[in-house]
Amino acid sequence: MTENTESLAESFRPGVTTLRNDKFHRYELHVDGELAVISQFMDKPGHIDFIHTETKPQFKGQGLANVLAHFALDDVVASGKRIIPHCPFIAGYLKRHEGYEQDVDWPKEKPPVESEPDNN
């Protein structure tokens, strides 16, 4: 399990932690110990395929899904694997943030774009 208690550059308050939970095939963001956001993935040889990101209702609208996306994508890049964004939220994050272009393999079928950047 990879863990970061400062949530990288996008951390904006104490009590926010991020980690990679391989047992459940997801990245997690916790607020004061409570699971707030998950991003599910499939770990394949040479790449990580993001399939779904979800924020618990009481944590929506706080930018927490963006914090988790930043952590998860940086973790994949650091591992030397490629990013495949089937998850609409991760795809949207990649389109809004520079620096990942060389590490992304876009799926043949484009994921739908989410209407709001942080509805997760």
Side-chain angles (χ1 to χ4, degrees):
M1 214 176 337
T2 305
E3 184 170 2
N4 177 10
T5 57
E6 295 183 19
S7 297
L8 304 172
E10 294 186 48
S11 177
F12 57 93
R13 67 183 197 204
V16 173
T17 58
T18 53
L19 62 92
R20 176 179 162 148
N21 185 333
D22 287 323
K23 180 179 178 182
F24 294 110
H25 308 284
R26 66 189 187 193
Y27 285 92
E28 301 176 353
L29 182 141
H30 296 256
V31 176
D32 297 324
E34 184 177 351
L35 182 62
V37 187
I38 62 164
S39 188
Q40 296 175 308
F41 64 85
M42 292 186 296
D43 192 347
K44 303 284 186 168
H47 69 272
I48 298 289
D49 190 342
F50 287 92
I51 54 175
H52 179 69
T53 301
E54 185 174 335
T55 301
K56 286 189 174 181
Q58 66 269 35
F59 295 105
K60 288 188 177 196
Q62 299 176 41
L64 296 171
N66 286 323
V67 174
L68 185 59
H70 181 91
F71 171 75
L73 295 170
D74 283 358
D75 186 62
V76 173
V77 170
S79 75
K81 291 191 171 193
R82 308 279 302 158
I83 299 162
I84 299 180
H86 278 102
C87 167
F89 182 80
I90 295 295
Y93 184 92
L94 288 165
K95 290 176 183 176
R96 292 187 311 275
H97 294 84
E98 295 181 2
Y100 298 103
E101 299 84 5
Q102 294 182 344
D103 300 297
V104 178
D105 291 328
W106 291 97
K108 291 188 190 320
E109 68 284 354
K110 296 285 185 190
V113 177
E114 299 214 358
S115 58
E116 297 178 35
D118 189 32
N119 67 352
N120 277 320

